[in-house]
Amino acid sequence: MAVDTTVNSAPRASIWNDPRGRAIIYQVLVVGGVVLMFWYLISNTMENLQNQQIASGFGFLDREAGFEISESLIDFSAASNYGSAFLVGILNTFKVSVLGIAIATILGILIGIARLSSNWLVAKLAMSYVELLRNIPLLLQLFFWYGVITVSLPGPREAINPLPGVFLSNRGFKVPVPEAHFAFTMAGVALVIGVIATYVVMRWAKARQARTGQPFPMLAAGAGLIVGLPVLAWLLGGAPTTLDMPELGRFRFTGGITLTPEFAALLFGLATYTAAFIAEIVRSGILAVSYGQTEAASALGLRKGLVLRLVVLPQALRVIIPPTTSQYLNLTKNSSLAVAIGYPDLVHVGNTTLNQTGQAIEAISIFMAVYLSLSLAISAFMNWYNQRIALVER
Amino acid sequence: MTAHEMAAETGQHGIIQMLGVNKWFGEFHVLRDINLSVDQGEKIVICGPSGSGKSTLIRCINALEEYQRGQIIVDGVPLTNNLKNIDAVRSEVGMVFQQFNLFPHLTVLENLTLAPIWVRKVPKREAEETAMYFLGRVKIPEQAAKYPGQLSGGQQQRVAIARSLCMRPKVMLFDEPTSALDPEMIKEVLDVMIELANEGITMLCVTHEMGFARTVANRVIFMDRGQIIEQNEPEEFFNNPQSERTQLFLSQILSH
Amino acid sequence: MTQVTDTTPQDEGERPPALSVGPLGWMRANLFNTWFNSALTILILWILIETIPPLLDWVIFSAVWGDVGPEPCRAGEGVGACWSFIHEKGRLILFGLYPSAEQWRPMLVMVLFIGLVAASARRELWSRNLAYAWGIGAVVMFVLMYGGVFGMEYVSNTQWGGLPLTLGLSTIGLVVAFPLGVILALGRRSNMPAVRSICVVYIELIRGVPLITVLFMASVLFPLFLPTGVTIDKLLRAQVGMILFAAAYLAEVVRGGLQAIPKGQYEAAESLGLGYWRKMRLIILPQALRISIPPLVNTFIGFFKDTTLVIIIGLFDLLNAAKAALTDREWAGFYMEGYLFCAIIYFVFCYSMSRYSQNLERKLQTGHARR
């Protein structure tokens, strides 16, 4: 029997047979159940904490940490507080994630395109890469790379020296950096100017093409501005070439910058693993644009490069970008595996703190808050992007 | 000897000339010794059973397919591997596909102006004026700001025709332009094509619309197994087919 | 003026130009079709020639095989692989700390398990009997693992490890998480706002954080959550953590399947007078789950790889057992052999599952061809 709840004259059904009433009962039951469960868990926790005499709350963040962190982007010592320790961890997570994302993207695009190569060997090699990396646990790969660096590479005295100033040893990688010089500051400023100028020229070129029909070689011009201007500034600044070269002293290296084995293994492992997934996304994105699109564009007389730029890429990117952002998120989450090889990321630092202070709930809440805000930010971006690019269909 | 045959042999006249064209897909021989000459302004309908090579034939004219032997000359330009020649031919030859192949990420207007702007280097305003003119010709100027996904199949195919016309081609190729359409939309597309034909553009059309062939074509070509089996004026072709295979094909296609 | 060429093609035997067919044609089309591809081909061939023989030499020809102890390996370190490490430690890696006299039991469990999986992979065997077989199999496997009956020595689950632990954690995790995932997916698509929000919050919360934090939570927070005096063992904690984690991911897969079911199916079921649960159980879920099988297998592969993270809370799964084997000072440094051994096992499992899911996807697609 159908119950029409909108018509008052109809005989009123009992609340259980009224769909709206039923929905309310269900929801009250579910919410009640969840609240009860939480109440039970929280009261247990309170009792347990009381028994263990652990004061809950974030007051411990101000206390002195008392442990060292092997690498940090900001000043940190054992005398700093737990709050700064967490900050160091968060920054280290960001550092490895941002670099990892950059490398994974470039590598992933290259391998994705290679999978579609008309060269059989290239395509098969790219496929083997993807299958191999995707089907072996990331943690195992991280252990492996860490092993390659710390076990198979020689000690600092016999460090491999593939390029002048580059030393690979089981203590990490030493790389030269240019010595600080005014010219580099100028080059940095020039880079910013170059980017802005490229944007301005791009707008001008677009307007001019609309007016006169003449296209402008934007790719060359942009490259010239973004690369050329900084180089020019560097030359004007006296073209300093002195590098801070790492050198083997009596006991250790001096000069240059160091990539610790932990950081290098984590970065390399995360980037190569995620690249395999990005490669598959790139491949399926390009395949998602039907061949008819390329044919139609060619039949109109567009050259290969223009077909790619005006027709294939804009469509492929719509398919590629959303899953790629979630791969970025995965990479960031996977960077928490750092704890297994000893790179001081958020989880590693938090774990140390947790063991020292017993503030388990607080430490885990911080983990969750950091990762969740990252995921929420990324999914907000994805929603915005999806709305912006959604194809209009009937 | 017919005028066409003479043209084919002397290698003159004719905006499109195919001389002894052979094509293989791997081991499969799709085009066998195709000799065809098309005069300026001629309307040709190509028919034949599926897999007979008729689509491949017109796709060769636009360099969408390579051929292994023979020669194709379009408006005096030989189609070779030379990219310059291919560009030159493609800007003279428009093509309409069975699946429309409109660009879904661009509006109708942007679909129409893309090639004029980037290939002909026409200023945007001018390209848009041309585009609006041709949209008027295919009777959907009001759809200019919409995306292809918002249009019906018939409307999409008319946009596709307008898109080709915006390049002001000398030759139009149609690859089964009505096969993917619902029956009620076929007429609107054919009407546009008939109007186009009356203006004197050179047309090669792969289609099974025999009514269209009767009203418009100067010549109907029947292909089977990669060969041109028979060609004639529409009246003769339909009323008095010579070859057995043509008769069989016509009886199958006209029986219902 | 009719022009007719109605002859069967005389050139039936005519061949395409020699360079476009046969092995030569294949090479021209696939390896040397442009100058760029030719250069790439030559470069890659050169790299392969440079790397493959030394690699083969390390893996096979110069490797140390058999039960010969670490000394020969030390002598040939860097030249050949030390497979005697696997010979020595293979059982530790495969079975963890399980008493060595009883290791036939986990061995049998794995054989049983792989047999059941292989049977389940065949679609023609999908039936109620298979479900019974799994039920009985599960009981047998647990009895074998724990022992304590039929004269088998009791083995506490703290001694379990290696491959059986990896397989057990992932399979049990999936089996228990699956119904949870279905409920969460239905909840997320429900039109009751309170139910929907609870499900959304749960799913997004879990998917937004790394598995490690969930495992940490399981390891350090679960004991706090329980009434004072009640404890649960480490293995169970890890298992519960993995279940909570997997449920959120499975829910999203099932939701994808639910979304793919056309609205007409819902309407048809309603028009037959079926209530919500009957509609879901009889009409919608069977279809939705069927199309979700390939993504479910993919989720399972991810889940299987993720079991390695239990190392964080100190369980000896396959990977951690290998790591433990490497701590033996006598054998220190043979990490490559140990990890390669693990990698091959993981690869074989994951790769065969992913091939299976691809095949299945292809088959299901033909069954569900659009229009």
Side-chain angles (χ1 to χ4, degrees):
Chain A
M1 188 185 89
V3 181
D4 189 352
T5 52
T6 57
V7 181
N8 282 332
S9 58
R12 278 200 69 85
S14 77
I15 187 154
W16 182 244
N17 284 333
D18 173 355
R20 273 191 296 181
R22 208 186 267 211
I24 290 171
I25 294 173
Y26 271 133
Q27 297 189 64
V28 168
L29 283 177
V30 170
V31 173
V34 170
V35 168
L36 268 179
M37 192 184 74
F38 267 95
W39 179 80
Y40 175 72
L41 294 181
I42 290 172
S43 66
N44 279 341
T45 310
M46 300 299 262
E47 200 185 315
N48 284 321
L49 285 178
Q50 223 159 29
N51 290 345
Q52 294 174 23
Q53 300 184 332
I54 297 172
S56 53
F58 288 92
F60 75 100
L61 288 178
D62 288 330
R63 296 212 307 265
E64 189 184 299
F67 61 90
E68 295 282 353
I69 297 180
S70 57
E71 54 191 299
S72 165
L73 290 173
I74 55 172
D75 280 334
F76 183 86
S77 71
S80 308
N81 59 21
Y82 283 115
S84 343
F86 270 107
L87 188 61
V88 170
I90 291 173
L91 288 175
N92 278 339
T93 292
F94 273 117
K95 180 170 93 174
V96 76
S97 305
V98 169
L99 286 173
I101 283 171
I103 300 172
T105 308
I106 296 168
L107 199 60
I109 291 174
L110 286 178
I111 295 167
I113 293 171
R115 279 213 63 178
L116 295 169
S117 167
S118 58
N119 186 319
W120 184 86
L121 262 179
V122 173
K124 286 291 167 213
L125 268 185
M127 194 187 83
S128 317
Y129 175 93
V130 170
E131 291 298 353
L132 199 66
L133 279 265
R134 277 203 314 183
N135 287 313
I136 294 175
L138 173 60
L139 190 60
L140 175 50
Q141 297 184 30
L142 291 180
F143 284 152
F144 181 81
W145 298 126
Y146 190 59
V148 168
I149 297 175
T150 55
V151 180
S152 294
L153 284 182
R157 302 216 142 264
E158 295 84 37
I160 302 174
N161 192 196
L163 293 169
V166 176
F167 292 93
L168 311 178
S169 76
N170 59 13
R171 300 290 174 75
F173 304 156
K174 280 281 177 184
V175 188
V177 279
E179 258 168 28
H181 190 283
F182 177 63
F184 291 113
T185 324
M186 270 174 61
V189 174
L191 180 69
V192 176
I193 295 175
V195 170
I196 297 172
T198 307
Y199 178 72
V200 172
V201 173
M202 212 147 82
R203 295 200 55 166
W204 168 82
K206 210 174 162 191
R208 190 187 74 147
Q209 188 180 10
R211 209 172 53 246
T212 66
Q214 285 311 305
F216 186 77
M218 202 49 233
L219 206 67
L225 283 171
I226 292 174
V227 178
L229 270 186
V231 170
L232 194 69
W234 173 75
L235 283 173
L236 286 178
T241 49
T242 15
L243 291 174
D244 182 9
M245 292 289 253
E247 267 172 72
L248 187 60
R250 271 176 65 98
F251 298 107
R252 51 197 205 95
F253 286 101
T254 53
I257 50 165
T258 314
L259 302 179
T260 62
E262 293 78 23
F263 176 74
L266 183 65
L267 179 65
F268 189 76
L270 283 175
T272 48
Y273 180 75
T274 312
F277 290 87
I278 293 180
E280 277 306 278
I281 295 170
V282 168
R283 169 173 166 268
S284 59
I286 293 174
L287 286 180
V289 183
S290 75
Y291 192 62
Q293 293 286 311
T294 310
E295 285 194 332
S298 319
L300 286 168
L302 292 165
R303 277 274 178 99
K304 221 175 165 185
L306 281 176
V307 173
L308 203 64
R309 182 174 132 203
L310 298 173
V311 175
V312 176
L313 274 187
Q315 295 184 57
L317 283 180
R318 285 157 200 260
V319 184
I320 290 172
I321 287 181
T324 305
T325 39
S326 67
Q327 281 307 321
Y328 290 170
L329 190 59
N330 278 349
L331 185 145
T332 310
K333 287 193 286 178
N334 282 335
S335 72
S336 62
L337 296 186
V339 68
I341 55 171
Y343 172 73
D345 80 320
L346 169 64
V347 173
H348 190 217
V349 171
N351 191 31
T352 313
T353 307
L354 187 160
N355 287 336
Q356 285 191 3
T357 61
Q359 305 280 356
I361 299 177
E362 292 79 359
I364 287 174
S365 320
I366 293 175
F367 295 165
M368 294 207 159
V370 171
Y371 287 111
L372 268 182
S373 30
L374 261 175
S375 346
L376 287 179
I378 286 184
S379 48
F381 164 79
M382 285 215 294
N383 285 340
W384 169 81
Y385 179 81
N386 283 335
Q387 256 165 25
R388 217 180 72 105
I389 59 138
L391 282 184
V392 187
E393 302 213 3
R394 352 160 5 91
Chain B
M1 195 179 258
T2 68
H4 308 302
E5 279 170 312
M6 266 168 29
E9 258 157 50
T10 53
Q12 279 169 7
H13 315 297
I15 189 160
I16 300 171
Q17 295 187 29
M18 302 178 85
L19 301 168
V21 173
N22 276 282
K23 177 175 174 56
W24 287 264
F25 282 129
E27 292 276 346
F28 180 59
H29 205 167
V30 248
L31 293 181
R32 298 169 194 263
D33 265 321
I34 300 290
N35 286 296
L36 177 68
S37 171
V38 181
D39 289 336
Q40 180 109 38
E42 225 186 335
K43 282 72 172 141
I44 292 180
V45 163
I46 306 173
C47 58
S50 62
S52 58
K54 48 196 195 311
S55 286
T56 312
L57 179 94
I58 67 165
R59 287 161 60 86
C60 278
I61 299 174
N62 207 354
L64 288 178
E65 301 281 0
E66 289 179 339
Y67 54 96
Q68 276 94 29
R69 198 179 294 161
Q71 198 180 20
I72 302 179
I73 302 171
V74 181
D75 201 20
V77 182
L79 262 182
T80 54
N81 282 335
N82 187 333
L83 280 178
K84 273 228 164 80
N85 289 5
I86 291 180
D87 283 347
V89 167
R90 280 178 175 167
S91 59
E92 300 296 338
V93 179
M95 177 131 187
V96 174
F97 299 86
Q98 183 178 356
Q99 298 294 344
F100 330 138
N101 290 346
L102 293 177
F103 307 130
H105 62 299
L106 301 177
T107 63
V108 166
L109 191 65
E110 286 164 345
N111 263 281
L112 268 63
T113 56
L114 185 81
I117 287 177
W118 289 97
V119 180
R120 291 256 192 265
K121 307 200 176 11
V122 174
K124 195 173 168 200
R125 279 270 304 275
E126 205 182 309
E128 287 180 349
E129 278 162 18
T130 316
M132 286 314 294
Y133 167 74
F134 282 111
L135 275 183
R137 291 281 311 280
V138 300
K139 304 183 184 62
I140 35 175
E142 71 283 358
Q143 311 285 6
K146 287 195 181 163
Y147 284 89
Q150 295 170 291
L151 306 183
S152 73
Q155 288 172 326
Q156 289 194 47
Q157 194 60 298
R158 285 188 279 158
V159 172
I161 294 173
R163 180 174 70 177
S164 292
L165 292 176
C166 281
M167 289 294 283
R168 312 246 181 212
K170 292 185 179 160
V171 179
M172 283 288 282
L173 306 174
F174 291 86
D175 188 1
E176 308 208 21
T178 54
S179 306
L181 295 176
D182 291 337
E184 74 272 19
M185 292 169 184
I186 292 180
K187 189 177 174 301
E188 64 186 56
V189 172
L190 288 181
D191 284 348
V192 167
M193 287 168 62
I194 291 170
E195 225 173 275
L196 200 62
N198 292 338
E199 278 162 36
I201 196 168
T202 311
M203 277 169 72
L204 265 85
C205 185
V206 173
T207 185
H208 291 158
E209 295 296 333
M210 291 305 146
F212 173 77
R214 276 178 201 275
T215 26
V216 170
N218 306 109
R219 198 171 6 148
V220 180
I221 292 178
F222 174 69
M223 282 185 74
D224 193 13
R225 289 188 232 163
Q227 275 186 314
I228 294 181
I229 302 293
E230 181 167 352
Q231 45 181 317
N232 211 332
E233 290 163 353
E235 273 309 300
E236 272 294 299
F237 181 85
F238 289 114
N239 297 339
N240 192 13
Q242 301 295 308
S243 118
E244 244 172 70
R245 283 196 250 169
T246 317
Q247 289 160 6
L248 181 69
F249 176 74
L250 285 177
S251 71
Q252 281 167 346
I253 202 165
L254 297 175
S255 60
H256 43 255
Chain C
M1 71 169 263
T2 313
Q3 185 195 332
V4 181
T5 11
D6 193 5
T7 48
T8 28
Q10 324 87 328
D11 59 359
E12 204 71 24
E14 191 179 351
R15 309 262 310 157
L19 275 178
S20 65
V21 287
L24 265 182
W26 182 88
M27 278 170 67
R28 214 170 79 108
N30 294 299
L31 295 176
F32 301 101
N33 51 348
T34 60
W35 67 265
F36 178 68
N37 270 344
S38 309
L40 270 180
T41 303
I42 290 165
L43 180 73
I44 290 175
L45 283 178
W46 179 74
I47 293 175
L48 289 181
I49 290 167
E50 286 291 304
T51 53
I52 297 286
L55 201 66
L56 280 181
D57 187 53
W58 185 83
V59 173
I60 300 170
F61 303 114
S62 297
V64 180
W65 299 83
D67 183 15
V68 289
E71 290 75 28
C73 293
R74 291 270 172 248
E77 212 172 337
V79 180
C82 176
W83 298 123
S84 50
F85 171 71
I86 302 300
H87 203 277
E88 172 82 18
K89 300 286 185 187
R91 283 158 67 117
L92 173 62
I93 297 176
L94 278 179
F95 302 117
L97 301 173
Y98 210 87
S100 51
E102 302 292 320
Q103 279 176 0
W104 59 272
R105 281 153 54 184
M107 190 69 217
L108 196 59
V109 165
M110 282 193 315
V111 171
L112 201 60
F113 178 83
I114 292 170
L116 279 169
V117 169
S120 313
R122 305 186 47 168
R123 279 217 292 166
E124 61 271 23
L125 291 182
W126 291 358
S127 65
R128 204 164 283 264
N129 284 340
L130 189 65
Y132 293 142
W134 269 105
I136 296 165
V139 174
V140 172
M141 287 191 262
F142 265 99
V143 168
L144 276 171
M145 285 305 280
Y146 269 117
V149 285
F150 308 124
M152 288 186 293
E153 190 191 325
Y154 172 75
V155 179
S156 135
N157 70 24
T158 49
Q159 288 173 285
W160 296 5
L163 191 54
L165 187 74
T166 294
L167 293 173
L169 274 173
S170 46
T171 317
I172 296 172
L174 182 83
V175 170
V176 181
F178 184 68
L180 274 177
V182 172
I183 291 172
L184 283 167
L186 290 176
R188 190 165 187 172
R189 280 177 63 80
S190 146
N191 42 23
M192 294 183 263
V195 173
R196 195 172 54 228
S197 347
I198 288 172
C199 293
V200 169
V201 167
Y202 178 82
I203 292 170
E204 293 306 325
L205 188 84
I206 297 288
R207 279 161 41 92
V209 300
L211 174 58
I212 281 198
T213 58
V214 178
L215 286 177
F216 264 132
M217 201 174 85
S219 140
V220 298
L221 291 190
F222 282 3
L224 290 177
F225 287 160
L226 293 172
T228 317
V230 180
T231 53
I232 57 173
D233 60 56
K234 212 154 62 169
L235 183 62
L236 190 58
R237 270 184 276 169
Q239 184 70 78
V240 172
M242 299 216 58
I243 289 168
L244 293 180
F245 184 75
Y249 282 82
L250 293 176
E252 284 302 273
V253 173
V254 174
R255 184 166 74 114
L258 287 172
Q259 271 169 342
I261 303 300
K263 223 174 134 194
Q265 292 290 319
Y266 289 85
E267 287 164 356
E270 272 156 32
S271 73
L272 289 173
L274 297 177
Y276 178 83
W277 291 109
R278 285 229 183 112
K279 175 178 79 184
M280 285 301 166
R281 193 166 57 86
L282 299 174
I283 312 290
I284 306 300
L285 277 177
Q287 301 185 56
L289 295 184
R290 176 170 281 263
I291 51 176
S292 327
I293 291 176
L296 279 173
V297 176
N298 287 335
T299 312
F300 182 69
I301 295 173
F303 196 49
F304 182 76
K305 291 190 292 175
D306 280 345
T307 52
T308 49
L309 301 202
V310 296
I311 203 171
I312 304 299
I313 57 177
L315 291 178
F316 285 91
D317 73 320
L318 184 59
L319 180 59
N320 204 13
K323 220 170 170 256
L326 285 167
T327 56
D328 186 343
R329 298 200 61 147
E330 233 187 313
W331 293 92
F334 297 115
Y335 72 97
M336 234 180 231
E337 290 81 351
Y339 291 149
L340 269 180
F341 180 64
C342 283
I344 291 169
I345 295 176
Y346 280 111
F347 183 83
V348 167
F349 275 96
C350 295
Y351 185 68
S352 40
M353 281 191 285
S354 86
R355 287 315 294 261
Y356 174 70
S357 113
Q358 282 163 16
N359 272 333
L360 201 62
E361 196 164 7
R362 223 167 294 135
K363 275 185 205 151
L364 290 176
Q365 250 168 14
T366 49
H368 273 250
R370 287 184 191 175
R371 264 183 244 173

